[in-house]
Amino acid sequence: MGRYHWVRLYALTLMIVLFALSVFVGISGAYDIIIKSARQRSIVRSVESIERASDSIIRAVSDIAKDEGHRQYEIIRQKVKSDKYSAASERELEMSFRNDFSSAVIQTIGEDAESICDTLDSYLESDTLRNVSIQYDPKTCITEEKDSLGKTSALRIKNVIIRYDNPIAGERTETFNYNIQFPDVVFHAGNDEIFRYCMIAGKGIYMTGPTSSVIGDVYAGIHSPEECREAEIEYGETGTYGGINILSTQLGIRSDRIITRGDININGSFVVFSPNEDELKIYAQRINEIEGFSKDTQYTLDGKVVGTYNMDDDDAMDYREAVRLVEDSLSGLDPASIYYDSDNDSNYNGSYRKLISGTDVELTDDFRGIIVTRANVIIRKDVNFEGVILSGDRIYTMGNNNIVADPAVARAIVEYEFGEDYMFRVKDYIKGMNKPGITDPDYYVIPYHM
């Protein structure tokens, strides 16, 4: 009986010990699970905190970029209204804007690693983010990249290290880079690329008569042999019809860009080609010297001729882009079936004349403004023109003509049209017209990893 009692007592004790051991093991396992879970949550929290910190930087830098973009735009816009900047081209103004915008953003955020880190760290403090900070690194910087012309093409904040400190998960760091986007800006009304031209003719230009001068860019397209006219035969076109044709005259051309899809035919004439502001580049299949019956043919050239049948990649890209721009602009002429001359409109209060026509336009008096027609333009002898002519067909000049591009005249006309609501607007017939203003990008700051 006594022995049985001791066995029972031993079994009970063993059960108690095993139960206690199981409880201890269970508690220890649960503790391990709790610790692992806490560490995992801490890691997730650190990742989320670093992302929130990066978002805070994006918001703060975006606000700076937007404010500076609008401020710099207004500064330049006011300068454009003055005589000093009114002649500046859209490209020149955009370059000035981008450079000034970049400088202002850099000055606000910091020019060296220490000041950049301090500035970005202050954004995190203002958002009261816990356990996150900017870790100083001498490689943190703002880089400004410029293209071959000196225009700022990219602005980046590089090597920003965000650190998260936590007693459970320990320290965690992640490196970010940020692209700062530029707003789109337009300072001049219209299309400055088109307004650099004095003559644009979809099917060719024909010039003759007493001494004339042309100042500004020139574009001449081509036409089919079936479209040849008797009056054009003596100009000497062969093979390709259209282009630029110069007959029995003395002509001075000052231009930065002369573009024709055909030839330049010089027949019994003396022609001087020279640059206007920068350097002259002529795109043509060839320049043909044709000896006239009574006059010798001669030309001088201060510039570069690019044969369109054999161009390198850069010239080919430039040529195709120029042709595309002009042809897109001319594509809006088809609906021009009306005849409108602002000189006959008592309600028109613009500073310069404009003429919109679906039929031939003949100039017998000096003209300052814009001509838009899907047909021909004939400039009679002793008539001068200032502005831009867009003809879907051909332009004929009859001698003793001064034909001058003036972007300021064209801009003034289009800017007036943006402010008025009436039917006859040249901007409705020329594609690519722009209204002055600033357009914010969808995102001013875009993060990226190297």
Side-chain angles (χ1 to χ4, degrees):
M1 198 61 186
R3 183 178 179 182
Y4 178 72
H5 173 74
W6 283 109
V7 170
R8 290 176 58 195
L9 184 61
Y10 175 78
L12 179 62
T13 302
L14 182 60
M15 289 176 62
I16 292 172
V17 170
L18 291 174
F19 176 75
L21 183 61
S22 67
V23 169
F24 176 78
V25 171
I27 292 174
S28 177
Y31 178 76
D32 288 342
I33 292 173
I34 291 171
I35 293 298
K36 290 179 180 178
S37 178
R39 183 174 288 111
Q40 186 64 36
R41 287 197 301 272
S42 182
I43 292 172
V44 172
R45 191 179 300 115
S46 68
V47 173
E48 291 176 344
S49 296
I50 288 174
E51 289 296 329
R52 284 199 297 270
S54 179
D55 289 343
S56 293
I57 291 172
I58 291 172
R59 285 194 299 272
V61 175
S62 294
D63 289 342
I64 290 170
K66 183 175 182 178
D67 291 345
E68 287 299 339
H70 285 258
R71 189 171 74 87
Q72 295 301 326
Y73 177 81
E74 284 304 319
I75 289 173
I76 297 179
R77 180 71 174 150
Q78 290 305 314
K79 290 180 179 179
V80 169
K81 294 179 180 179
S82 69
D83 293 338
K84 182 179 179 181
Y85 279 78
S86 60
S89 69
E90 191 69 39
R91 286 184 294 179
E92 292 170 333
L93 292 172
E94 185 193 15
M95 176 185 292
S96 180
F97 168 81
R98 279 178 165 250
N99 293 345
D100 292 350
F101 169 81
S102 296
S103 297
V105 171
I106 291 172
Q107 187 174 12
T108 301
I109 295 175
E111 298 182 10
D112 56 69
E114 184 175 0
S115 57
I116 294 169
C117 291
D118 288 344
T119 299
L120 300 184
D121 203 40
S122 69
Y123 302 152
L124 308 187
E125 292 175 0
S126 64
D127 273 1
T128 63
L129 296 175
R130 299 177 59 185
N131 301 326
V132 289
S133 60
I134 301 298
Q135 180 174 298
Y136 170 76
D137 189 287
K139 295 180 181 178
T140 302
C141 61
I142 298 182
T143 62
E144 186 180 20
E145 299 175 15
K146 294 181 181 290
D147 63 17
S148 59
L149 299 176
K151 181 178 74 174
T152 302
S153 57
L155 185 62
R156 297 185 175 95
I157 306 176
K158 292 183 175 181
N159 203 57
V160 176
I161 302 175
I162 302 177
R163 184 180 68 238
Y164 179 84
D165 295 302
N166 185 274
I168 297 176
E171 180 184 293
R172 181 183 183 88
T173 63
E174 192 167 344
T175 302
F176 289 85
N177 302 280
Y178 302 95
N179 268 338
I180 299 176
Q181 308 299 298
F182 294 85
D184 291 327
V185 291
V186 176
F187 294 97
H188 293 309
N191 185 329
D192 248 32
E193 289 297 313
I194 289 298
F195 292 166
R196 292 170 55 193
Y197 292 88
C198 57
M199 292 188 290
I200 295 175
K203 296 184 180 181
I205 295 174
Y206 298 82
M207 310 184 74
T208 191
T211 302
S212 295
S213 66
V214 173
I215 301 175
D217 292 355
V218 176
Y219 176 91
I222 56 176
H223 61 261
S224 66
E226 292 75 23
E227 295 177 279
C228 285
R229 295 167 179 166
E230 186 175 347
E232 298 167 1
I233 295 175
E234 60 182 320
Y235 281 86
E237 297 171 302
T238 57
T240 302
Y241 298 90
I244 298 173
N245 303 276
I246 303 164
L247 172 67
S248 301
T249 187
Q250 295 186 49
L251 177 65
I253 300 180
R254 283 174 45 197
S255 178
D256 293 326
R257 180 179 287 183
I258 297 173
I259 298 176
T260 175
R261 294 177 58 203
D263 298 340
I264 297 177
N265 296 308
I266 304 174
N267 188 340
S269 300
F270 176 70
V271 183
V272 177
F273 296 100
S274 60
N276 185 25
E277 295 178 356
D278 301 320
E279 60 179 357
L280 170 61
K281 185 176 283 189
I282 298 175
Y283 289 94
Q285 290 186 110
R286 62 188 64 83
I287 297 179
N288 298 318
E289 296 179 81
I290 304 168
E291 293 300 330
F293 291 110
S294 59
K295 295 182 180 180
D296 293 334
T297 295
Q298 184 180 356
Y299 74 90
T300 64
L301 170 65
D302 180 9
K304 176 184 178 183
V305 177
V306 179
T308 55
Y309 52 84
N310 184 25
M311 297 182 283
D312 62 30
D313 290 343
D314 289 341
D315 283 334
M317 184 179 300
D318 187 43
Y319 171 74
R320 285 195 294 266
E321 177 60 23
V323 171
R324 184 200 61 78
L325 173 69
V326 170
E327 290 186 344
D328 284 352
S329 300
L330 292 176
S331 68
L333 299 181
D334 287 341
S337 58
I338 63 168
Y339 185 89
Y340 171 83
D341 187 343
S342 62
D343 271 5
N344 302 325
D345 184 356
S346 60
N347 295 318
Y348 178 73
N349 296 313
S351 301
Y352 306 105
R353 186 177 174 187
K354 59 181 180 177
L355 198 156
I356 306 167
S357 176
T359 56
D360 290 353
V361 173
E362 184 174 357
L363 297 185
T364 56
D365 297 300
D366 291 352
F367 191 107
R368 194 178 190 198
I370 297 178
I371 295 176
V372 176
T373 178
R374 63 181 180 181
N376 305 288
V377 175
I378 303 98
I379 304 176
R380 288 298 176 187
K381 182 182 173 183
D382 301 325
V383 174
N384 301 311
F385 178 88
E386 182 178 357
V388 57
I389 301 172
L390 287 97
S391 163
D393 207 308
R394 281 160 265 208
I395 296 175
Y396 300 93
T397 69
M398 309 312 292
N400 197 28
N401 310 119
N402 297 302
I403 302 170
V404 182
D406 193 336
V409 168
R411 294 171 195 150
I413 291 173
V414 176
E415 189 156 16
Y416 175 82
E417 291 182 340
F418 275 117
E420 297 292 324
D421 185 20
Y422 60 96
M423 292 177 59
F424 307 111
R425 302 181 300 189
V426 295
K427 77 180 189 68
D428 294 334
Y429 297 95
I430 306 173
K431 298 293 186 180
M433 295 292 101
N434 296 312
K435 183 177 182 179
I438 178 170
T439 303
D440 297 315
D442 293 335
Y443 302 97
Y444 262 103
V445 179
I446 298 176
Y448 70 99
H449 292 282
M450 296 294 287

